[in-house]
Amino acid sequence: MGDQQSPINLRDAVVVPRLEDELAVRWRADQFSAAEEGHGWRFRPKGDHAVRLSGREFRLDNIHFHRPSEHWVDGRARGAEMHAVHLRAEDVLQACVVAVFVGLGEPGASDAKPPSGIDLPALFPGGGFHRYEGSLTTGEFDEVVSWVVMTEPVQVDDPALRAFVRAHADRARPVQPLNRRFVLTSR
């Protein structure tokens, strides 16, 4: 492991004018296949979804959830966090992970089975975000990730997804030292 590990405590960010212009998210409601893999449950999309970050296009590989949140804001964890992992293969693998803090509301009745359909745009708050360079938070912790951590949380309205996240979210990796990195913010 190197000195650019994730997650981190988001604080003392540098405001960058027009940073929001560097991010374009193209998600849609879609069918997903869910499977328990080596690091936890992963939802893989049936269709194409992408983000464009600083002129580079990344394709959605999977979404998954952590409970509590992995990223902290000003020293505090949030209830849960969704990671939308987008990949780009050139000479080396690169990733852009869009992280969204999610509220799970009341548990409600459910069998906690993974839903097959997910309204991904409903889980994207839009607006401001934090940005930094870091690592994957599972596996080999490779330092190949451009992180986009959305500022505003969203509420998970789908009772099946809410129950599934409550029952099967990945545990959170502890926050890592910022070291000599800068955290940028659009606000």
Side-chain angles (χ1 to χ4, degrees):
M1 291 189 285
D3 58 359
Q4 291 191 343
Q5 291 293 294
S6 300
I8 62 171
N9 181 21
L10 300 165
R11 64 172 186 222
D12 302 325
V14 177
V15 176
V16 176
R18 301 182 54 129
L19 185 64
E20 290 167 336
D21 296 344
E22 292 188 17
L23 177 68
V25 175
R26 291 193 314 274
W27 292 348
R28 60 186 174 77
D30 198 1
Q31 295 296 305
F32 286 76
S33 61
E36 191 169 9
E37 298 178 6
H39 305 295
W41 282 87
R42 301 295 180 261
F43 290 87
R44 299 205 182 268
K46 303 276 183 172
D48 288 330
H49 305 263
V51 297
R52 180 174 289 280
L53 181 65
S54 301
R56 297 181 341 221
E57 182 121 344
F58 297 82
R59 297 267 174 226
L60 181 63
D61 179 69
N62 75 81
I63 63 171
H64 62 273
F65 297 84
H66 295 269
R67 187 169 171 231
S69 70
E70 289 201 304
H71 287 92
W72 291 13
V73 178
D74 293 326
R76 289 185 34 232
R78 303 284 176 94
E81 183 175 334
M82 177 185 79
H83 289 172
V85 180
H86 300 77
L87 301 177
R88 174 185 177 93
E90 291 180 334
D91 294 334
V92 295
L93 181 68
Q94 298 173 324
C96 172
V97 179
V98 177
V100 179
F101 297 114
V102 294
L104 299 175
E106 294 300 316
S110 173
D111 55 12
K113 289 184 180 174
S116 60
I118 298 175
D119 185 358
L120 208 47
L123 297 175
F124 183 70
F129 58 87
H130 290 86
R131 176 138 158 46
Y132 76 97
E133 298 301 311
S135 72
L136 297 171
T137 63
T138 59
E140 301 299 317
F141 307 107
D142 297 344
E143 294 178 342
V144 296
V145 180
S146 294
W147 281 93
V148 174
V149 183
M150 302 308 296
T151 306
E152 296 299 320
V154 296
Q155 189 66 31
V156 177
D157 291 329
D158 177 0
L161 182 58
R162 202 167 48 227
F164 186 80
V165 171
R166 282 183 179 281
H168 299 290
D170 297 359
R171 288 181 296 202
R173 182 182 190 203
V175 292
Q176 304 295 306
L178 185 59
N179 295 324
R180 297 173 61 169
R181 291 178 283 178
F182 290 97
V183 177
L184 308 178
T185 186
S186 60
R187 296 184 180 181

